[in-house]
Amino acid sequence: MDNILRIIEKSGAFRAFVADTTQLVNEAVKIHNLSPVAAAAMGRTLTAAAIMGLDLKSDSESLSVQINGDGPLGTIVTVTDCHANVRGYIDNPFVDLPLKSNKKLDVASAVGKGQLTIIRSTGLKEPYVGQVDLQTSEIAEDIAYYFMNSQQTPSVVALGVLVDVDYSIKAAGGYVIQLLPGADDEIIQKLEANVYTLESVTDMLSKGMDAEQMTRELLLGFDYEVLMKYTPGYKCNCSKERMERALISLGRKELEKIIEEDGKAELCCHFCKNNFTFSKDELISLLESSKG
Ligand code: ZN
């Protein structure tokens, strides 16, 4: 089962999140028909969003992690709440590129150069927007760069997606370690040594390890505590009411035109591909209600 653990080192030197998001990414593959390289790019972004959203303060907040590269995948948008319920979409889900010489998916070429944007909406004030240039376009390094650049937090970020021969997801997950103020050099060096010798996230997950077992390997020799265990999932919050609001926001002229020319409206949710149909009568009553 998918899990994300929130961990604190007992002396307060660092905190960490360790995630198994295999099912979540598999769900994204099914909904969007993702090619392997699109699954890798989107799966890494969804995993990062699921972890980063856990710092949101309340149910009314949301966090969006967006990758805007000039590569063939186009834009990747992911959105999460504070419970690691994540959704997303990608401009071009069917992109196929040759493997790199090391037989790995070429995520960096598929993403291209561009920006990583983080948008935190509180529902009350203007959203907080942070943006950095993509450094490697492999996403994990770009997220680490964002933490350092925008939040002045030295971080280690690892994100991995392993695609099976049938294009389903064999393993997906990752971890984020963030140094807290006052972390001493000895701890930093030991942490670096652990990360350096650690197997990749997808290797560990494919062996059948779960988030707890990965944490034991990652934090070998450290005294730590698991503060919280979350269950991430692919979950959309669309509804007919939200789609109504989208229709109303088109404006009265546009609505009148749809009623006259099409006699109905069909809207598809970008995030989950659910279809919503509005009959002529429903559209007319929407038009009526938008008058007031
Ligand atoms: Zn939806």
Side-chain angles (χ1 to χ4, degrees):
M1 196 174 90
D2 283 4
N3 272 311
I4 303 178
L5 306 181
R6 180 195 289 271
I7 297 143
I8 184 94
E9 195 269 334
K10 287 236 175 113
S11 74
F14 62 85
R15 64 178 199 148
F17 294 91
V18 178
D20 173 357
T21 53
T22 305
Q23 289 171 29
L24 190 175
V25 178
N26 228 338
E27 192 60 29
V29 169
K30 278 189 222 156
I31 290 168
H32 297 282
N33 266 316
L34 301 170
S35 70
V37 76
M42 195 169 168
R44 290 178 193 181
T45 314
L46 286 166
T47 303
I51 292 173
M52 293 171 80
L54 298 176
D55 279 341
L56 292 171
K57 300 275 184 289
S58 75
D59 279 323
S60 61
E61 298 191 354
S62 69
L63 183 110
S64 179
V65 178
Q66 306 186 2
I67 308 279
N68 305 98
D70 64 1
L73 289 175
T75 296
I76 303 168
V77 174
T78 61
V79 186
T80 184
D81 63 10
C82 63
H83 307 288
N85 294 313
V86 201
R87 60 190 191 274
Y89 65 83
I90 185 165
D91 281 349
N92 302 306
F94 312 128
V95 169
D96 196 15
L97 286 182
L99 294 177
K100 294 193 288 190
S101 54
N102 63 3
K103 304 272 181 242
K104 298 244 161 107
L105 293 163
D106 196 352
V107 172
S109 300
V111 168
K113 291 192 191 334
Q115 282 80 39
L116 161 69
T117 308
I118 309 287
I119 303 167
R120 180 177 172 164
S121 308
T122 59
L124 299 167
K125 293 174 285 189
E126 285 289 296
Y128 159 84
V129 181
Q131 191 174 65
V132 292
D133 286 337
L134 293 170
Q135 300 296 302
T136 65
S137 302
E138 292 280 350
I139 298 164
E141 291 86 348
D142 304 306
I143 301 279
Y145 181 77
Y146 168 81
F147 282 136
M148 190 64 211
N149 204 277
S150 294
Q151 304 186 347
Q152 289 74 50
T153 308
S155 310
V156 181
V157 180
L159 300 166
V161 175
L162 183 65
V163 183
D164 215 338
V165 284
D166 63 359
Y167 286 17
S168 70
I169 299 302
K170 209 168 176 182
Y175 57 83
V176 172
I177 305 172
Q178 298 194 305
L179 294 180
L180 298 173
D184 67 39
D185 286 348
E186 203 183 322
I187 283 189
I188 295 170
Q189 279 166 16
K190 178 160 174 42
L191 210 47
E192 280 174 349
N194 277 21
V195 168
Y196 187 75
T197 53
L198 193 73
E199 289 177 281
S200 75
V201 170
T202 49
D203 278 351
M204 288 190 282
L205 288 169
S206 333
K207 279 187 188 169
M209 289 168 71
D210 59 16
E212 262 127 14
Q213 288 163 315
M214 287 200 294
T215 305
R216 279 202 283 279
E217 297 288 320
L218 176 65
L219 301 183
L220 196 70
F222 284 106
D223 206 5
Y224 64 87
E225 187 184 347
V226 176
L227 296 174
M228 197 77 110
K229 189 172 174 176
Y230 308 88
T231 307
Y234 195 101
K235 203 165 160 191
C236 193
N237 65 349
C238 64
S239 63
K240 193 144 184 178
E241 288 71 36
R242 276 174 188 267
M243 292 296 174
E244 276 177 9
R245 273 180 265 156
L247 279 170
I248 290 171
S249 72
L250 292 175
R252 297 180 43 80
K253 280 236 167 68
E254 194 61 29
L255 260 180
E256 278 166 3
K257 202 173 136 201
I258 293 170
I259 293 168
E260 270 170 41
E261 291 178 6
D262 306 326
K264 65 175 171 138
E266 272 183 53
L267 279 79
C268 177
C269 174
H270 284 314
F271 292 103
C272 69
K273 306 286 174 189
N274 263 345
N275 278 304
F276 296 89
T277 309
F278 290 85
S279 67
K280 191 170 188 173
D281 287 347
E282 285 174 313
L283 290 173
I284 290 170
S285 70
L286 270 185
L287 189 64
E288 295 292 321
S289 69
S290 73
K291 274 179 192 164

